[in-house]
Amino acid sequence: MRSIVIDDDVIRELAIEQAVCVRPVMRRVTDRATGEVTTVPIRCGVTRDSVCPSCAAKARRLRMTQCAEGWHTDAEPAVPEHERADEQSVGTLDDESAETEADEPRQTRSTRRRADAPDLPTRPTDPRTIGRVFTTPDGKTYRPSMFVTLTLPSYGKVRPHLGVPVDPARYDYRRAALDALHFPKLLDRWVQNLRRCAGYQCQYFGAVEAQRRLAPHFHAAIRGAIPRATVREVTRATYLQLWWPPMGDPVYVRRVPIWADEQYRDPNTGAALPTWDEAIAALDDDPDARPAHVMRLGQQVDVKGILGGTPDADRTVRYLTKYLTKAVAETYADDQGDDSAYEAHIDRLHEHVRWLPCSKECANWLRFGVQPHDAGPGLVPGQCASKAHDRDHLGVGGRRVLVSRRWSGKTLTEHKADRAAVVRAALEAAGIEPPAANRMAAETLHQDGRPRFVWDDVPLSQYDYGRVVMATVIEARRWRAQYDRAKELLAGTDPPVDNDSATASVRARSMRPALTEGI
């Protein structure tokens, strides 16, 4: 009997249909107790749809669950005390970053606000993070939250619905590139200012996306209600001054500095370039120094009130996470690359993003005659390792999802474990034994006290892609059939996990693929 050979492309499409990773990382697991050797495929975990649609969709569903769970909660999330202290003093955009060097207080420079910026209103702040409860005249109560969209200012006229400049020669690509590279710093300042004016420690789940003109903008779900006038006033009053060495005109273009005697030197004279600290000290000593770049938000601010548990809330969660699986440059680009005007617009912006510094450690500082902070050998202008300089990212090199520390009281890993727990509980309640959660875990010890299971990489050339992915597809279908059977057996009974909340509808839609993701 002749065996049937299935093309790898067909298997890939089948894997996408079944939410199975199309580019798994292979590991060889040796059981030291039995000597058995097993090859295990592990999800690649990328968040780009163009690379692995299955893993990207999984990441988006997880973010949807995280967003919905913290948005309209009526109870203070449980957060360790040391994290609360950190947040009060830093107020940063995510749960791991620190205050940016652009916001560090300077000893010799005035901290007075710019004369061309309106004053920032302030008010006493309650320690709560949940929103206020409002009561209608007929006695009904509700706790509204908000959906806010922030943009960057104009860099020149663009063609409506096309996103390309009317006159590329007059479009300020340099400012657009700098604003994109440092957009998270400006958002960080906006959040700090908003918390001073909101009257409570407002929490947010935000996504950085690209407008059609390729400028990043910010969608944010904010827990609780803040007057629209306050949000707009804070936005107008927010700015960021980047106190960096001058980076207007490049010093080294054709010849680049050379590394000698543990520092970078002029390729012609051999003189050492000023270090980062020396360049910053020169700014401090110059009473006429001006910031290298000043950023402000655009005038367009969209503020919308949202009630939890409504179809509008579900739609907004989906909208907020809509483009998280796409790179900035591919969000609106033609899949076939046929739009020559738009591709040229991307290329012009990328040319500036490539050469401008993204941080004080950026190799591009050599182009402007300054040694980067903690410089070492091998740095080449235009070849900084940060993905912010890539054509795909166009300056947006950090996290696309920005979440405050007290949003849901859980890490993303804990949200993932919750999704798996729902499926596992359903299987157990129906009398179906789920796969062991810690099977072949590296933490499992042998009787000699060392790990029982030893994990090793498997070179790509040593496994059959089609066979491995097809086996994973078959296993995923089997697990899903078990889950469907469990739901049938439990029909009419109480759910294994309490989902009676404003997040239930979003979570229900995202639970079906969870069986192949978390157990």
Side-chain angles (χ1 to χ4, degrees):
M1 182 177 179
R2 187 172 61 179
S3 60
I4 300 176
V5 178
I6 304 178
D7 187 85
D8 284 354
D9 291 338
V10 176
I11 295 176
R12 185 180 187 278
E13 293 301 319
L14 181 60
I16 294 173
E17 180 183 336
Q18 298 295 320
V20 169
C21 178
V22 299
R23 51 192 302 273
V25 179
M26 302 303 297
R27 295 289 185 267
R28 183 182 293 114
V29 185
T30 303
D31 186 345
R32 296 178 56 243
T34 64
E36 181 181 3
V37 179
T38 307
T39 302
V40 179
I42 300 176
R43 281 180 171 269
C44 65
V46 301
T47 58
R48 291 271 296 278
D49 183 76
S50 59
V51 178
C52 180
S54 301
C55 287
K58 171 194 172 184
R60 178 174 179 254
R61 288 192 298 268
L62 189 59
R63 289 298 190 180
M64 289 172 62
T65 301
Q66 182 185 31
C67 177
E69 187 161 327
W71 197 0
H72 305 285
T73 182
D74 56 3
E76 290 287 350
V79 178
E81 188 63 31
H82 72 278
E83 290 195 5
R84 295 193 180 194
D86 288 345
E87 184 184 63
Q88 295 290 333
S89 61
V90 177
T92 49
L93 279 169
D94 56 66
D95 52 3
E96 294 178 2
S97 66
E99 188 170 340
T100 63
E101 70 272 5
D103 294 331
E104 291 176 357
R106 310 191 61 76
Q107 295 180 353
T108 60
R109 186 168 293 113
S110 173
T111 58
R112 290 180 299 178
R113 292 182 58 80
R114 293 178 60 92
D116 57 358
D119 291 335
L120 185 69
T122 59
R123 59 184 297 188
T125 302
D126 294 337
R128 61 182 172 87
T129 70
I130 58 176
R132 288 178 52 198
V133 175
F134 296 86
T135 304
T136 62
D138 59 359
K140 293 182 180 179
T141 61
Y142 62 101
R143 192 193 302 269
S145 291
M146 305 175 67
F147 181 65
V148 178
T149 299
L150 304 176
T151 63
L152 284 169
S154 172
Y155 308 109
K157 291 184 178 181
V158 296
R159 300 187 183 279
H161 310 297
L162 297 178
V164 298
V166 173
D167 183 0
R170 301 180 64 180
Y171 194 83
D172 195 344
Y173 279 103
R174 183 178 184 277
R175 175 167 288 275
L178 283 170
D179 282 1
L181 285 165
H182 304 288
F183 189 49
K185 299 182 181 72
L186 183 62
L187 294 179
D188 185 53
R189 178 58 55 84
W190 181 80
V191 170
Q192 293 175 12
N193 291 342
L194 186 64
R195 285 177 174 164
R196 295 188 183 107
C197 307
Y200 70 105
Q201 285 291 313
C202 57
Q203 304 296 302
Y204 58 88
F205 178 102
V208 177
E209 298 176 355
Q211 292 181 293
R212 189 171 291 275
R213 60 179 175 140
L214 297 178
H217 64 160
F218 186 55
H219 294 307
I222 296 179
R223 186 160 68 234
I226 304 170
R228 286 175 169 81
T230 299
V231 176
R232 293 191 172 96
E233 192 173 2
V234 167
T235 303
R236 288 194 300 269
T238 295
Y239 64 88
L240 176 80
Q241 298 186 117
L242 201 63
W243 288 102
W244 276 2
M247 50 183 176
D249 298 315
V251 178
Y252 299 98
V253 179
R254 292 183 176 84
R255 298 194 66 188
V256 298
I258 59 175
W259 177 260
D261 299 327
E262 301 300 316
Q263 56 187 326
Y264 282 95
R265 298 178 176 274
D266 185 285
N268 298 319
T269 66
L273 272 61
T275 65
W276 173 266
D277 291 338
E278 290 171 346
I280 293 298
L283 285 177
D284 288 337
D285 295 338
D286 182 2
D288 298 323
R290 295 292 182 265
H293 185 59
V294 179
M295 290 182 63
R296 289 183 173 88
L297 292 162
Q299 295 181 356
Q300 182 180 352
V301 183
D302 185 56
V303 183
K304 183 179 181 181
I306 302 289
L307 290 177
T310 63
D312 198 21
D314 289 347
R315 283 193 298 268
T316 305
V317 170
R318 294 194 298 272
Y319 177 76
L320 193 153
T321 59
K322 180 179 180 180
Y323 292 117
L324 289 181
T325 61
K326 292 182 177 293
V328 171
E330 66 181 13
T331 303
Y332 301 102
D334 190 292
D335 292 339
Q336 307 301 323
D338 295 334
D339 192 341
S340 58
Y342 202 70
E343 293 296 323
H345 178 49
I346 294 175
D347 289 339
R348 288 189 293 266
L349 179 58
H350 175 238
E351 183 65 16
H352 286 266
V353 168
R354 178 187 175 189
W355 295 105
L356 288 168
C358 64
S359 66
K360 61 184 181 181
E361 294 85 9
C362 183
N364 287 343
W365 280 116
L366 296 176
R367 181 178 173 86
F368 298 97
V370 176
Q371 298 192 57
H373 183 66
D374 290 337
L379 297 181
V380 179
Q383 298 182 21
C384 176
S386 171
K387 65 181 183 180
H389 301 285
D390 296 346
R391 189 180 187 275
D392 282 349
H393 297 89
L394 295 176
V396 185
R399 297 182 180 184
R400 296 284 297 279
V401 177
L402 309 174
V403 187
S404 56
R405 295 176 179 177
R406 297 168 67 182
W407 178 253
S408 65
K410 300 176 184 177
T411 64
L412 200 60
T413 301
E414 290 170 333
H415 280 290
K416 180 179 179 181
D418 287 346
R419 289 166 54 86
V422 171
V423 179
R424 187 175 300 278
L427 294 176
E428 292 175 347
I432 301 175
E433 182 178 356
N438 61 344
R439 58 190 186 281
M440 294 186 288
E443 292 80 11
T444 303
L445 300 181
H446 191 31
Q447 59 186 8
D448 59 4
R450 294 187 299 169
R452 173 179 172 178
F453 299 100
V454 179
W455 291 67
D456 299 301
D457 294 340
V458 178
L460 184 64
S461 59
Q462 293 187 15
Y463 70 88
D464 183 343
Y465 172 86
R467 181 185 61 80
V468 169
V469 175
M470 195 63 192
T472 307
V473 168
I474 293 173
E475 184 178 49
R477 296 186 65 174
R478 175 173 59 83
W479 284 349
R480 188 163 295 129
Q482 289 180 344
Y483 184 46
D484 290 341
R485 176 58 177 163
K487 290 191 295 184
E488 292 176 1
L489 294 175
L490 294 173
T493 63
D494 293 333
V497 176
D498 179 16
N499 282 332
D500 186 17
S501 68
T503 66
S505 54
V506 171
R507 184 177 296 176
R509 283 192 298 272
S510 62
M511 270 300 129
R512 181 173 176 81
L515 187 62
T516 62
E517 299 171 0
I519 63 176

